[in-house]
């Protein structure tokens, strides 16, 4: 009996360490049709007496909040950079409020429910809140940063799906999934009017805010299907006088590339701490 109790005590101790380093939150939102599952990571030496920089990592289209945990070692990254890492579930929302679905209001969820919950759960340094993401998550990160630049210190996008265009989304959808699912989802989000799609391009969002001069980081693999639109954003940002950092290296639209690329964002964020 004593041996069993000892084994149970060890298991509970190890579990408590895991919970301290990684916490899973589930939020039943009034803005979303489904509960949102969020994975949170803090440094091993996390102290409630100290405020920590926070990095939101947004996943890509057709995946979920586990994508980043399956791509990098979030615990190690939290320890290495002394930052809190939060990986929410964005479903297929592109992280915006849907025009056609009042139960897919992700922007409202993020700022009215998720962010306040995270700041209540953890001691967040509000001067140093960052956001980044891959593919659809790269779009969401830059969209939030441009629209809510006072909330974030800086942002990043890796292999970002930055152009909201009917023709391109149809081509991408058939290239990745062999059907029109991406295009159909975008119609639910941005509506049937393609003019509304175009005005939500990251480039057009930047051009609509001529006073926006905040630095951010952008990268994409040279073999990525989205490489050309990332190059377009790079050129547009430079022409607008935005001090944006661009990294180009060999790679495709896959986990192998993101596993290596995202650390550049943490380095960039560390360099921009206030």
């Amino acid at each position: 009996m004593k041996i069993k109790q000892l084994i149970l005590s060890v298991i509970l101790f190890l579990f408590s360490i895991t919970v301290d380093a990684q916490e899973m939150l589930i939020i039943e939102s009034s803005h979303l049709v489904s509960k949102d599952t969020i994975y949170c990571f803090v440094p091993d030496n996390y102290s409630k007496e100290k405020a920590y920089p926070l990095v939101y990592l947004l996943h890509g289209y057709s995946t979920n909040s586990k994508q980043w945990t399956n791509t990098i070692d979030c615990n190690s990254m939290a320890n290495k950079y002394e930052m809190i890492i939060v990986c929410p579930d964005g479903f297929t929302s592109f992280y915006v409020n849907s025009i056609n679905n009042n139960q897919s209001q992700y922007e409202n969820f993020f700022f009215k429910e998720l962010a306040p919950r995270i700041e209540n759960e953890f001691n967040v340094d509000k001067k140093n809140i960052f956001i980044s993401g891959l593919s659809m998550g790269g779009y969401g990160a830059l969209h939030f940063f441009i629209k809510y630049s006072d909330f974030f210190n800086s942002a990043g996008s890796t292999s970002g799906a930055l152009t909201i265009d009917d023709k391109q989304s149809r081509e991408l959808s058939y290239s990745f999934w062999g059907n029109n699912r991406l295009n159909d989802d975008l119609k639910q989000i941005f509506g049937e009017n393609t003019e509304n799609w175009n005005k939500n391009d990251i480039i057009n969002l930047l051009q609509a805010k001529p006073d926006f001069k905040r630095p951010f980081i952008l990268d994409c693999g040279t073999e990525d299907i989205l490489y050309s639109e990332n190059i377009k954003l790079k050129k547009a940002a430079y022409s607008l006088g935005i001090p944006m950092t661009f990294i180009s290296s060999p790679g495709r639209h896959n986990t192998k590339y993101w596993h290596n690329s995202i650390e550049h964002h943490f380095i960039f964020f560390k360099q921009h701490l206030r």
Side-chain angles (χ1 to χ4, degrees), residues 135-158:
S135 197
M136 178 187 80
Y139 173 87
L142 293 185
H143 177 266
F144 278 172
F145 181 49
I146 295 165
K147 191 169 181 179
Y148 301 93
S149 54
D150 289 340
F151 184 84
F152 300 100
N153 178 324
S154 188
S157 167
T158 180

Side-chain angles (χ1 to χ4, degrees), residues 55-58 68 130-134 137-138 141 155-158 262 265 269:
V55 179
Y56 287 100
L57 289 182
L58 308 183
W68 277 114
F130 302 93
I131 188 167
S132 186
L134 64 87
S157 167
T158 180
I262 194 61
H265 295 218
F269 296 157

Side-chain angles (χ1 to χ4, degrees), residues 48-86:
K48 293 181 180 180
E49 306 304 316
K50 176 183 174 182
Y52 292 82
L54 165 64
V55 179
Y56 287 100
L57 289 182
L58 308 183
H59 66 77
Y61 177 83
S62 82
T63 62
N64 55 43
S65 51
K66 288 186 177 180
Q67 184 173 32
W68 277 114
T69 67
N70 293 331
T71 300
I72 58 173
D73 185 336
C74 291
N75 277 325
S76 294
M77 204 71 78
N79 284 325
K80 185 174 182 178
Y81 293 97
E82 288 285 305
M83 295 179 176
I84 300 167
I85 298 173
V86 173

Side-chain angles (χ1 to χ4, degrees), residues 74-244:
C74 291
N75 277 325
S76 294
M77 204 71 78
N79 284 325
K80 185 174 182 178
Y81 293 97
E82 288 285 305
M83 295 179 176
I84 300 167
I85 298 173
V86 173
C87 307
D89 199 332
F91 311 101
T92 57
S93 68
F94 271 73
Y95 303 94
V96 301
N97 291 337
S98 168
I99 286 180
N100 293 324
N101 186 352
N102 60 12
Q103 291 184 306
S104 180
Q105 303 294 298
Y106 199 89
E107 189 173 322
N108 288 345
F109 163 73
F110 188 96
F111 290 99
K112 295 181 180 180
E113 295 177 321
L114 175 60
R117 175 71 179 274
I118 295 300
E119 291 171 19
N120 184 60
E121 292 278 340
F122 305 103
N123 195 359
V124 175
D125 180 356
K126 295 183 181 180
K127 302 187 305 298
N128 289 303
I129 298 177
F130 302 93
I131 188 167
S132 186
L134 64 87
S135 197
M136 178 187 80
Y139 173 87
L142 293 185
H143 177 266
F144 278 172
F145 181 49
I146 295 165
K147 191 169 181 179
Y148 301 93
S149 54
D150 289 340
F151 184 84
F152 300 100
N153 178 324
S154 188
S157 167
T158 180
S159 306
L162 310 172
T163 303
I164 309 300
D165 176 79
D166 179 76
K167 182 175 182 294
Q168 176 174 288
S169 67
R170 193 180 303 276
E171 292 173 354
L172 289 173
S173 191
Y174 278 95
S175 175
F176 281 111
W177 300 283
N179 55 41
N180 204 36
R181 60 178 293 188
L182 174 59
N183 202 266
D184 291 339
D185 282 338
L186 288 173
K187 286 180 180 178
Q188 281 295 309
I189 298 165
F190 296 106
E192 297 283 345
N193 187 343
T194 55
E195 287 185 11
N196 189 55
W197 290 36
N198 294 333
K199 75 178 184 181
N200 280 284
D201 280 359
I202 295 300
I203 290 176
N204 290 336
L205 290 174
L206 284 175
Q207 290 175 338
K209 292 188 70 174
D211 295 332
F212 182 90
K213 304 297 180 186
R214 301 284 300 283
F216 62 90
I217 183 170
L218 179 73
D219 75 79
C220 193
T222 52
E223 288 77 47
D224 195 310
I225 193 170
L226 300 177
Y227 185 68
S228 61
E229 65 181 83
N230 278 264
I231 291 294
K232 288 178 183 177
L233 175 57
K234 179 195 77 167
K235 292 178 178 178
Y238 289 163
S239 70
L240 292 169
I242 298 171
M244 186 267 295

